[in-house]
Amino acid sequence: MNITQINLTIAQMLDYTTPILFAALCGVLSESSGVVNIGLDGIMRFGAFFGLLGAFFSHSPWIGLLLGIAIGCLVGALHAFITIKWNGDQTVSGTAINVIATGLMTYLLEYVFSTTGYSPQLQNYFGAQAYRVHLPFLAKVPLLGAFSDLSVMIWFGFICTVLMHVLLYHTVLGLRIRTCGENPKAATTLGINVFRVRWFAVIAGAALAGIGGAALSISSFSGFSDSMPNGVGFIGLAAMIFGKWTPFGALGAALLFGTGQIVQSLIAVTGIAPKLAPGLTLILPYVLTLAVLAGFVSRSIAPAADGMPYYKEQR
Amino acid sequence: MKALEVRSISKMFPGNLANDNISFSVEKGEIFAIVGENGAGKSTLMNIIYGIYTPSGGDLLVNEKEVKIRSVEDAIKLRMGMVHQEFMLIPRFTVTQNIVIGDEPHKGIFFDYGRAVREVRELSERVSLTVDATAVAGDLPVGVQQRIEILKVLRRGAQILIFDEPTAVLTPEETVDLFVTMRKLQAEGKTILFISHKLKEVMEIADRIAVLRRGKLQGIVNKKDTNEEELARMMVGRNVVLEIPKVDVEVGAVAFACHDLHVRNKRGYETVKGMSFDVRGGEIVGIAGVQGNGQDELVNAMIGFSHPVSGSMELNGKNMRLVTTAQLRKEGMSYITEDRARRGLVMPYTVRENAVMGQHLGRPFSKGIRMDYDKLAEFAEGKVREYDIRPGDVYDTAGSLSGGNQQKLILARELSLPHNFLIASQPTRGLDVGATEFVYHKLLEEKKAGKAILLISLELSEILGLSDRILVIFEGHIVGETTPDKTTEEALGLLMLGVGIDKKVQS
């Protein structure tokens, strides 16, 4: 393998990492406030389809991205409405969102494009040359060369990680979000409106999941496929846990899972793959997810009130 | 001037009138105590004053002006502050973070942690409540955690401070410190509402005392004009015998014996360092000691939660050193725990289920894999009547009962299991006088029935009143054995602190 190939491999790994990262960041924000969002896989599916829809009809991936964010917020608001306003079970609500996403996107795909399985391909998507961030001065540097020609979404993912870290650990709002996730009753006694903070965290988190979905359909790939997001949302949840509910931890974990994906692709090109049972290499990222969770979950501590509905007048 | 006035406040919870038309006023600079049994409505009333609950009716006046307190924000704006019974701390946050949340020093949207730390240090110096501003709250002892809570409300300029059962979690030394702080605050002109069911403490600190019973105000008395007995009578609604009657029983055979027992705690340190003692049928053996001198580990070993490192342990003559809790129970051990929430009961389960736990396998409560819930309910209803567990619906969850009734439920279950050895670990912790009296009666009944009882308690009056023999433990050793007629609270207190230990008695 020469330098160019290595760079390409790293770039591709980052491409896989980005949707996982956005999913994990969604989880970090939402769960820091105390709301589990297991529906983020479904929200990604919404984001992936609507991202494509916007990009396809406007011929601009930016419009697609905005539509992805909008639908993420909308579905996030549904989750918030059920779990915060009505204290519905967070797992049930999230699962319902996943189920709705599966059925509704398949239906919409056939209804809008009269096709099954795959949407039409996009000419203008973030993976296309015109939308890449070119940093020619990096091209000659070994390893960093991979960063000379990346989709804008990948950079966006890194920026969001930093922003999330600043939000959670250096702003007043962040301190309050974490307070709501640790001890909502204490937050109330300090005059913090737990419900408002949680609404914000769930919706803003869901917007990130929407971006993550769009990153699949209009950045990593140039179209929507009916199998999206292929469990990326759940891998993102695993990355969140592995990353100890912190933004940079999530980034590290997402990179690890992204590497798992790329190893799978490498096996495919080395020619070993045909000797293995078909599909065996495809499960590699998921096996990695399981192994990591089994090995590390016990050492990772969730926010104390994570997943607990909050009743103000509970006795 | 009246700092606070409460006019005809009522609060309805579904099926329960928690506060019934309560009125009183508190003068500025006064320490005003509100006493009542568990479940009398004290905490509910405080939560109304502090804006956490909305009252079903009535008015509140602060500084002689009528106010509407719809939320905690409103209460804070009116310069009220509450130190809650269960601390409102975030263990993972630093002391500073805990103190400033909700009113953070900031630059724009950014949290200015450096300034926050400085502010906390200044405040802590000004009111002479020492805390380490950058320590992680969860690592600190309970007394210090409470200091954080007090600093939290003072930082927000509170003039009226509500202390909700502040001494329930404190050691006697920490309580002394707290009272010093409260007096200092009073001297600064702060008004203090002190909620408690410990009459001794109320008589020590309060200026006036309001008594609640089952949601109703029974009366307000000046401390000068009252005494503990009168308060107890007002709280419970009848004469309470705080003295424990002497019961003489023929002492029987040894039920439990241990020899040179060594036990390690969870972190692997040896905290029981060679204890030897026995408990005979028909006697109560009291273990006196300051908390954290090996009591927890001793009990854990005795109930099979952890296995002793070395030494012997026998129940009814059988070796019980390396057995499970189930085997110990089968052999006749019953266990009353102070930790009702984590060990005694399953809070989300109903009274019915909690009442039979441990004997639910096999007849009459189950046949094969099927539970006979009618039998359960029938049994539980009998126990509810016998032990007067209120409100008395066997379909209520254990968590919805007051502390006293939870304890009665534990007693009902443990005493109905076949047993001849009873471990009572701080059986009256957090209980009011009525429930305490009930527990004492039951323990004496057990003694009369010839059971062997080991009583572990931090309350010396309890140890002296109930025990036939007293073992004093200090740093994992039994440092003395005596009987109630040969000792005093003072002598025991010194022994418990390790003062003047005669090396000979160390076993």
Side-chain angles (χ1 to χ4, degrees):
Chain A
M1 230 163 36
N2 59 32
I3 290 290
T4 320
Q5 276 173 319
I6 290 173
N7 282 349
L8 272 177
T9 310
I10 294 175
Q12 208 183 349
M13 184 268 279
L14 292 172
D15 220 21
Y16 283 128
T17 299
T18 302
I20 300 173
L21 176 62
F22 277 112
L25 290 177
C26 163
V28 169
L29 185 55
S30 183
E31 297 203 8
S32 287
S33 83
V35 182
V36 170
N37 189 349
I38 209 172
L40 72 88
D41 199 69
I43 298 174
M44 287 185 83
R45 188 168 162 83
F46 271 97
F49 182 78
F50 280 86
L52 168 102
L53 203 66
F56 184 83
F57 286 108
S58 69
H59 304 290
S60 159
W62 292 106
I63 302 294
L65 180 62
L66 286 180
L67 205 60
I69 293 174
I71 194 73
C73 289
L74 199 69
V75 183
L78 175 70
H79 186 60
F81 182 72
I82 295 167
T83 60
I84 302 169
K85 173 82 181 166
W86 296 111
N87 280 317
D89 188 284
Q90 298 174 5
T91 307
V92 172
S93 169
T95 306
I97 288 171
N98 288 337
V99 173
I100 292 168
T102 308
L104 191 62
M105 293 314 111
T106 305
Y107 170 76
L108 286 176
L109 178 66
E110 292 181 16
Y111 181 79
V112 177
F113 298 106
S114 310
T115 60
T116 53
Y118 295 90
S119 76
Q121 297 297 295
L122 293 169
Q123 296 306 313
N124 292 317
Y125 72 111
F126 285 124
Q129 274 301 315
Y131 294 95
R132 285 168 177 268
V133 179
H134 296 283
L135 302 168
F137 61 94
L138 285 176
K140 295 282 175 290
V141 188
L143 294 177
L144 285 183
F147 291 88
S148 65
D149 183 28
L150 291 176
S151 158
V152 66
M153 288 298 281
I154 295 173
W155 289 107
F156 196 34
F158 293 148
I159 293 167
C160 280
T161 308
V162 176
L163 287 180
M164 177 87 81
H165 176 82
V166 171
L167 170 70
L168 284 179
Y169 297 101
H170 296 285
T171 69
V172 170
L173 179 62
L175 186 68
R176 293 183 176 192
I177 289 172
R178 289 187 293 136
T179 304
C180 292
E182 293 285 345
N183 188 343
K185 196 153 191 182
T188 303
T189 63
L190 294 163
I192 295 169
N193 187 328
V194 176
F195 303 105
R196 208 184 296 162
V197 170
R198 286 190 168 179
W199 270 92
F200 167 79
V202 170
I203 292 179
L208 289 169
I211 297 172
L216 282 170
S217 65
I218 61 175
S219 175
S220 298
F221 299 93
S222 56
F224 178 78
S225 111
D226 202 17
S227 63
M228 277 180 187
N230 263 329
V232 166
F234 290 107
I235 296 179
L237 278 174
M240 166 197 76
I241 296 170
F242 185 40
K244 299 186 171 167
W245 283 267
T246 63
F248 286 116
L251 173 63
L255 285 168
L256 179 73
F257 291 131
T259 311
Q261 294 262 8
I262 201 72
V263 169
Q264 168 211 319
S265 317
L266 285 178
I267 291 172
V269 294
T270 51
I272 308 169
K275 293 177 197 146
L276 302 169
L280 205 59
T281 57
L282 290 177
I283 65 167
L284 190 77
Y286 307 98
V287 170
L288 186 67
T289 308
L290 267 181
V292 160
L293 284 183
F296 290 92
V297 164
S298 59
R299 267 164 269 173
S300 192
I301 304 160
D306 198 8
M308 313 237 247
Y310 178 56
Y311 305 90
K312 204 171 156 202
E313 293 214 355
Q314 192 175 35
R315 292 197 77 193
Chain B
M1 193 171 97
K2 288 174 191 164
L4 176 74
E5 187 172 354
V6 169
R7 277 192 196 154
S8 324
I9 287 284
S10 295
K11 176 71 185 174
M12 277 288 288
F13 282 110
N16 176 13
L17 190 56
N19 283 164
D20 185 1
N21 200 15
I22 293 174
S23 303
F24 61 82
S25 62
V26 186
E27 293 295 320
K28 187 169 162 23
E30 186 178 32
I31 297 184
F32 187 84
I34 298 175
V35 300
E37 294 189 282
N38 293 312
K42 304 180 300 265
S43 287
T44 304
L45 182 60
M46 290 310 109
N47 282 329
I48 289 172
I49 294 175
Y50 196 57
I52 296 174
Y53 295 165
T54 328
S56 315
D59 300 308
L60 289 168
L61 286 82
V62 173
N63 296 327
E64 304 187 347
K65 275 198 256 341
E66 194 171 324
V67 291
K68 285 267 174 280
I69 304 177
R70 288 189 195 85
S71 66
V72 178
E73 287 102 312
D74 292 348
I76 293 172
K77 274 189 208 123
L78 290 163
R79 314 196 80 176
M80 294 204 277
M82 182 150 163
V83 175
H84 295 265
Q85 188 175 1
E86 9 166 351
F87 295 157
M88 295 295 168
L89 289 179
I90 298 174
R92 274 195 214 187
F93 285 9
T94 65
V95 170
T96 296
Q97 282 173 328
N98 269 296
I99 291 175
V100 301
I101 317 168
D103 182 23
E104 306 87 348
H106 55 92
K107 284 184 194 139
I109 60 163
F110 294 103
F111 174 39
D112 190 345
Y113 185 64
R115 201 171 98 208
V117 171
R118 282 196 301 280
E119 282 188 24
V120 167
R121 286 197 177 127
E122 276 166 31
L123 175 72
S124 137
E125 247 168 65
R126 186 159 54 79
V127 298
S128 42
L129 280 174
T130 321
V131 289
D132 175 1
T134 52
V136 174
D139 297 342
L140 299 171
V142 183
V144 180
Q145 293 187 348
Q146 189 169 57
R147 244 177 265 161
I148 302 174
E149 292 282 340
I150 297 172
L151 286 170
K152 206 152 90 178
V153 297
L154 289 178
R155 183 168 175 278
R156 293 174 162 223
Q159 291 298 320
I160 303 172
L161 281 84
I162 305 168
F163 286 83
D164 190 5
E165 308 236 5
T167 61
V169 290
L170 299 185
T171 63
E173 297 80 28
E174 287 170 334
T175 303
V176 172
D177 284 348
L178 174 69
F179 284 178
V180 170
T181 305
M182 284 170 71
R183 290 230 172 76
K184 212 181 305 168
L185 293 171
Q186 182 183 27
E188 284 172 19
K190 308 262 194 280
T191 308
I192 293 174
L193 268 76
F194 176 65
I195 318 302
S196 185
H197 61 245
K198 294 189 184 166
L199 300 178
K200 205 180 270 176
E201 291 175 356
V202 167
M203 287 302 291
E204 188 183 332
I205 192 82
D207 299 317
R208 285 192 303 147
I209 301 152
V211 183
L212 289 187
R213 183 168 83 231
R214 292 196 202 167
K216 284 201 179 78
L217 184 67
Q218 298 300 313
I220 299 169
V221 287
N222 283 319
K223 178 179 69 179
K224 295 192 294 289
D225 311 330
T226 188
N227 53 43
E228 278 184 51
E229 283 70 32
E230 189 194 12
L231 288 176
R233 193 162 52 239
M234 286 168 76
M235 259 167 76
V236 184
R238 60 185 160 79
N239 281 318
V240 181
V241 190
L242 286 169
E243 270 116 78
I244 303 161
K246 278 281 153 214
V247 180
D248 281 321
V249 182
E250 186 97 352
V251 175
V254 172
F256 175 88
C258 62
H259 185 73
D260 196 25
L261 202 64
H262 291 259
V263 189
R264 289 204 181 118
N265 68 5
K266 262 187 256 159
R267 291 178 175 174
Y269 297 111
E270 198 170 291
T271 45
V272 173
K273 301 167 186 166
M275 289 191 189
S276 307
F277 62 91
D278 56 24
V279 189
R280 289 160 182 273
E283 74 168 348
I284 299 180
V285 174
I287 292 199
V290 177
Q291 191 158 24
N293 275 285
Q295 292 97 327
D296 293 351
E297 290 78 12
L298 175 65
V299 168
N300 280 346
M302 288 176 69
I303 62 172
F305 270 32
S306 63
H307 288 150
V309 191
S310 64
S312 71
M313 217 170 86
E314 283 179 3
L315 187 54
N316 300 326
K318 286 185 193 149
N319 179 19
M320 287 285 153
R321 189 161 93 83
L322 299 170
V323 297
T324 61
T325 307
Q327 281 168 290
L328 279 157
R329 283 198 173 273
K330 213 177 206 170
E331 192 51 51
M333 179 208 67
S334 271
Y335 169 50
I336 299 167
T337 170
E338 74 275 20
D339 193 349
R340 294 185 279 274
R342 268 183 296 184
R343 287 193 172 180
L345 299 168
V346 181
M347 290 302 179
Y349 280 18
T350 60
V351 170
R352 176 180 74 159
E353 288 152 339
N354 272 294
V356 298
M357 243 183 275
Q359 47 186 324
H360 57 283
L361 293 172
R363 286 167 192 275
F365 301 119
S366 61
K367 288 173 195 149
I369 59 165
R370 197 180 70 84
M371 295 293 297
D372 187 343
Y373 277 102
D374 292 339
K375 274 270 161 29
L376 250 69
E378 196 182 298
F379 174 81
E381 268 156 17
K383 290 293 164 194
V384 161
R385 272 194 302 277
E386 187 185 339
Y387 285 80
D388 189 27
I389 299 166
R390 286 183 209 151
D393 185 341
V394 297
Y395 296 95
D396 281 341
T397 59
S400 72
L401 304 181
S402 70
N405 284 301
Q406 288 174 355
Q407 194 70 335
K408 284 183 186 174
L409 178 55
I410 293 176
L411 283 169
R413 180 186 68 218
E414 293 298 321
L415 302 186
S416 67
L417 289 163
H419 68 284
N420 70 337
F421 176 51
L422 176 69
I423 302 169
S425 177
Q426 300 186 49
T428 62
R429 180 167 165 183
L431 299 188
D432 53 60
V433 274
T436 300
E437 188 195 18
F438 184 88
V439 172
Y440 290 169
H441 271 292
K442 280 291 166 191
L443 289 180
L444 291 172
E445 262 176 41
E446 284 284 294
K447 177 179 158 183
K448 269 185 231 166
K451 316 278 186 190
I453 300 161
L454 184 73
L455 170 72
I456 295 130
S457 178
L458 307 176
E459 305 274 343
L460 287 180
S461 56
E462 190 166 297
I463 293 275
L464 283 165
L466 287 168
S467 312
D468 298 297
R469 282 193 290 139
I470 300 169
L471 305 174
V472 183
I473 61 170
F474 175 68
E475 291 187 346
H477 295 284
I478 295 178
V479 294
E481 179 172 342
T482 181
T483 52
D485 50 337
K486 286 195 197 125
T487 189
T488 59
E489 273 197 39
E490 288 70 32
L492 276 182
L494 285 176
L495 212 50
M496 278 161 56
L497 292 169
V499 180
I501 293 170
D502 179 359
K503 287 287 170 195
K504 275 182 293 182
V505 291
Q506 271 197 29
S507 45

